[in-house]
Structure formats: C-alpha cells, structure tokens
Amino acid sequence: MSIQTVSQLRAEDALKQLGDGALSEIFVSYIQQLPVMIHQNGLGQAVAFYKSKGDEHLKIYNILKNWLCKESKIFGADRANSDLLKNIVETDMANYRMAQSEAQAYLYWLRHIAKSKPKK
C-alpha cells in the first residue's frame, strides 16, 4: 500500500469529480474563474455567488463542498454532510483561512484536470 501526498489526494478527487466524459467550455471557464473570485473577494463571497447562480456554478460549488466538508475534513467529520456556506459562516478566522487556502490548492488541480479533458 502506497502513501499518497495531500496533493495527490486532491488530484485524485478532482479527477473523480470531473468524471470520464467531455466537459462543456462554459463549465471549464467557471472552474477557472473561481480561484480568482476567491482571491479577490474571499472564500465566503465566492462560494455564496456560485451557490446562488445554480446550474454549472452549483455543480462546481458541490464539488468544492465535497472536498472541504468531507474529503479534506477541513470542517470536521461532524459537519461532513452540512452546507459549505453554513460552515464558512460559522467557523473561526483560523479555520476560514485554512479552508480558503485548501480551496485554492484543490482548485489548482480541478482547473488543470478540467482543461485537459475533451470539450463538448
């Protein structure tokens, strides 16, 4: 059994979340825009925007929610099935910063994997 680095776990999860099929150009562009929005506005505002938009934005929100609330355990096992936005609002500043940093690290992989996939 091999031990994976956190970066490898992020990449593996991003690959799993994006699946085997082709991705729409607009979906890929929304994935590419999210890290910039987080950097400019903060994690809370960026995620609230993506959650409110629905459709493709909501898919990306749910991918990030799965990573931050479940896989990476940023918000703890007791919050694994709860809402990402609720976790962000209720957490302390240290955990918020950690979540924002982890989101950026995860989105690095999500962006690169999305760009490498065939487009619809």
Side-chain angles (χ1 to χ4, degrees):
M1 180 164 88
S2 66
I3 298 175
Q4 292 179 300
T5 66
V6 176
S7 188
Q8 288 173 312
L9 293 171
R10 290 178 190 125
E12 181 180 49
D13 187 75
L15 190 58
K16 179 181 87 173
Q17 293 295 327
L18 293 175
D20 294 330
L23 302 174
S24 73
E25 292 281 346
I26 195 77
F27 183 70
V28 174
S29 75
Y30 292 158
I31 289 172
Q32 292 174 315
Q33 292 169 12
L34 185 53
V36 175
M37 287 185 74
I38 292 171
H39 180 73
Q40 291 175 342
N41 304 308
L43 181 63
Q45 288 180 329
V47 220
F49 175 79
Y50 269 58
K51 184 179 181 185
S52 72
K53 295 298 280 182
D55 296 327
E56 303 291 311
H57 288 93
L58 189 56
K59 288 179 191 174
I60 298 165
Y61 169 87
N62 284 324
I63 290 170
L64 189 58
K65 173 191 169 203
N66 182 66
W67 180 255
L68 292 177
C69 294
K70 185 177 177 187
E71 300 301 327
S72 72
K73 297 176 180 59
I74 290 290
F75 291 109
D78 59 323
R79 295 181 172 190
N81 295 318
S82 64
D83 185 67
L84 174 58
L85 193 53
K86 183 176 189 235
N87 285 329
I88 289 169
V89 170
E90 293 176 353
T91 197
D92 59 45
M93 185 54 74
N95 205 46
Y96 177 87
R97 286 187 185 129
M98 187 169 52
Q100 183 165 289
S101 177
E102 183 58 34
Q104 292 289 39
Y106 180 76
L107 289 167
Y108 169 85
W109 282 108
L110 196 68
R111 276 187 358 241
H112 289 288
I113 292 170
K115 286 193 300 189
S116 73
K117 294 192 138 306
K119 307 301 180 276
K120 289 182 189 176

